[in-house]
Amino acid sequence: MKTSNRRHFLKNIAAAAASVVAGPSLVKAASEFGSEEHAELYGSHASDKSGLLVPREGGLRITGTFLDEISHDIPHQNWGEKEWDQDFRHMKAIGIDTVIMIRSGYRKFITYPSEYLLKQGCYRPSVDLVDLYLRLAEKYGMKFYFGLYDPGSMTGEVDHNLYVIDEVWARYGHYKSFGGWYLSREISRATKGAIGVIHALGKQCKDVSNGLPTFISPWIDGKKAVWASSATLTKEQAVSVEEHEREWDEIFDGIHDVVDACAFQDGHIDYDELDAFFSVNKKLADKYGMKCWTNAESFDRDMPIKFLPIKFDKLRMKLEAARRAGYDKAITFEFSHFMSPQSAYLQAGHLYNRYKEYFNIR
């Protein structure tokens, strides 16, 4: 090859490589390279101007989030009203219309100065977070779901919450943003006594509030359903799709008259299992006249560090599976720690940006 021809060839190679990085149209990239064959090559990895190789907006948008202020496995961010107001603005910007306080108390820590729970030995909170969340929800046009009190086990859960439900409705029921109830007991299978507990609490919520909606967010007993304190990421024994369907058919049969929606947590099964389990969840919800939501976890269960913001592609794949299954709504656990631009985790803001790019949110 002559020197001049070789220089010309290398110049074309460099120009084509630069054009791919810059993200121009495929036709332009091909013409600069000077070959239709190379256009076909780049067409097999077609991307838009931001470099995305997948169609935008293929998933179900997240329109709800938990608010995790009483937690035992992720760090507290110590926000005041200023930070929470900013976070609600970030939520609103991507279309979130529903916020769910995951629980109003866990053991002795509580979110509002409950006269009943303080008498049970709970610690007095420094601020009334229930009132704060309801005010911010009204300000930003959102619905707030109140999460019930978790004593740490099902023992006494109904007795405590019958008081809490009445107390909360009397104190906060006047807010227009009070949109419903979250029954915070998380189960995965036909746990003994769970149907009775969920039914009793769901009925009390509806009776007190003139039928406001209730929902649950159970977990699927898949291969990644291990304790947060465990050093392992997976387990050998995992529920099959058939077992899952049989057990949840029984559970839904016992609660559907007092539970309006079910948002299964999506992080305990592998990504190639999503369609199988999601189709069963939607079929069962339809059978019992319940809404089928997904709890699209925005934290990563595949890493030894528990828990960090999830890789965007993992979240995208889960949201796309939810859309394929025809789910009614996507909520997440949870925006403030794992998606917010002001999260303590730097990666959360990057996830927020990738999410906005994918859904064409300006």
Side-chain angles (χ1 to χ4, degrees), residues 65-296:
T65 182
F66 283 102
L67 305 172
D68 188 25
E69 269 302 282
I70 298 290
S71 178
H72 60 278
D73 53 14
I74 56 176
H76 204 286
Q77 299 195 105
N78 294 306
W79 288 352
E81 183 159 352
K82 178 182 178 182
E83 291 87 358
W84 277 113
D85 189 290
Q86 179 62 52
D87 222 47
F88 271 65
R89 262 182 277 161
H90 289 313
M91 296 175 198
K92 184 74 173 179
I94 62 169
I96 287 178
D97 58 24
T98 306
V99 290
I100 309 114
M101 189 172 66
I102 194 164
R103 54 185 71 88
S104 54
Y106 180 63
R107 296 181 178 171
K108 289 189 176 184
F109 284 96
I110 55 179
T111 56
Y112 74 102
S114 164
E115 293 180 12
Y116 169 77
L117 292 174
L118 288 171
K119 291 177 181 177
Q120 307 307 308
C122 289
Y123 306 132
R124 181 175 294 277
S126 57
V127 295
D128 186 338
L129 288 171
V130 176
D131 182 75
L132 171 62
Y133 292 151
L134 282 162
R135 286 189 287 106
L136 290 175
E138 280 198 5
K139 178 178 179 179
Y140 290 100
M142 301 176 183
K143 289 297 183 184
F144 170 83
Y145 279 68
F146 179 88
L148 301 187
Y149 172 68
D150 182 358
S153 70
M154 282 196 292
T155 304
E157 184 170 1
V158 173
D159 292 338
H160 287 310
N161 275 296
L162 293 183
Y163 286 100
V164 168
I165 292 165
D166 285 347
E167 180 183 60
V168 163
W169 186 250
R171 181 178 291 197
Y172 306 106
H174 64 281
Y175 277 101
K176 293 179 181 179
S177 55
F178 200 122
W181 307 85
Y182 172 56
L183 312 181
S184 57
R185 172 56 52 198
E186 296 178 11
I187 62 172
S188 65
R189 307 184 73 163
T191 306
K192 184 178 180 180
I195 293 176
V197 167
I198 293 171
H199 192 279
L201 295 176
K203 185 177 187 305
Q204 178 73 359
C205 287
K206 284 188 164 293
D207 287 348
V208 164
S209 62
N210 299 314
L212 282 183
T214 64
F215 86 97
I216 60 174
S217 186
W219 44 286
I220 299 169
D221 195 20
K223 62 188 292 185
K224 291 189 274 186
V226 297
W227 293 110
S229 57
S230 171
T232 61
L233 297 176
T234 61
K235 62 181 183 179
E236 292 294 329
Q237 298 298 322
V239 71
S240 68
V241 176
E242 294 75 21
E243 289 173 316
H244 176 76
E245 180 173 6
R246 182 172 62 253
E247 293 181 349
W248 279 95
D249 195 329
E250 176 187 348
I251 296 169
F252 279 6
D253 183 58
I255 66 172
H256 70 277
D257 58 321
V258 295
V259 176
D260 298 282
C262 180
F264 278 101
Q265 301 167 31
D266 68 2
H268 296 96
I269 54 177
D270 221 338
Y271 303 98
D272 55 9
E273 298 177 301
L274 291 169
D275 287 304
F277 279 96
F278 280 17
S279 63
V280 164
N281 295 343
K282 184 64 167 71
K283 181 173 73 172
L284 289 174
D286 289 347
K287 176 180 178 180
Y288 289 100
M290 299 167 65
K291 294 292 185 182
C292 190
W293 297 0
T294 187
N295 180 355

Side-chain angles (χ1 to χ4, degrees), residues 4 7 11 14 34 36 67 218 223 278 284 289 292 345 354:
S4 59
R7 287 175 179 168
K11 183 178 179 181
E36 293 182 3
L67 305 172
K223 62 188 292 185
F278 280 17
L284 289 174
C292 190
Y345 299 116
R354 301 295 80 72

Side-chain angles (χ1 to χ4, degrees), residues 69 74-79 83-84 87 90 307-309 334-350:
E69 269 302 282
I74 56 176
H76 204 286
Q77 299 195 105
N78 294 306
W79 288 352
E83 291 87 358
W84 277 113
D87 222 47
H90 289 313
F307 296 99
L308 296 175
E334 53 85 55
F335 179 88
S336 298
H337 280 87
F338 305 117
M339 288 188 72
S340 171
Q342 63 172 1
S343 167
Y345 299 116
L346 181 64
Q347 310 97 314
H350 299 320

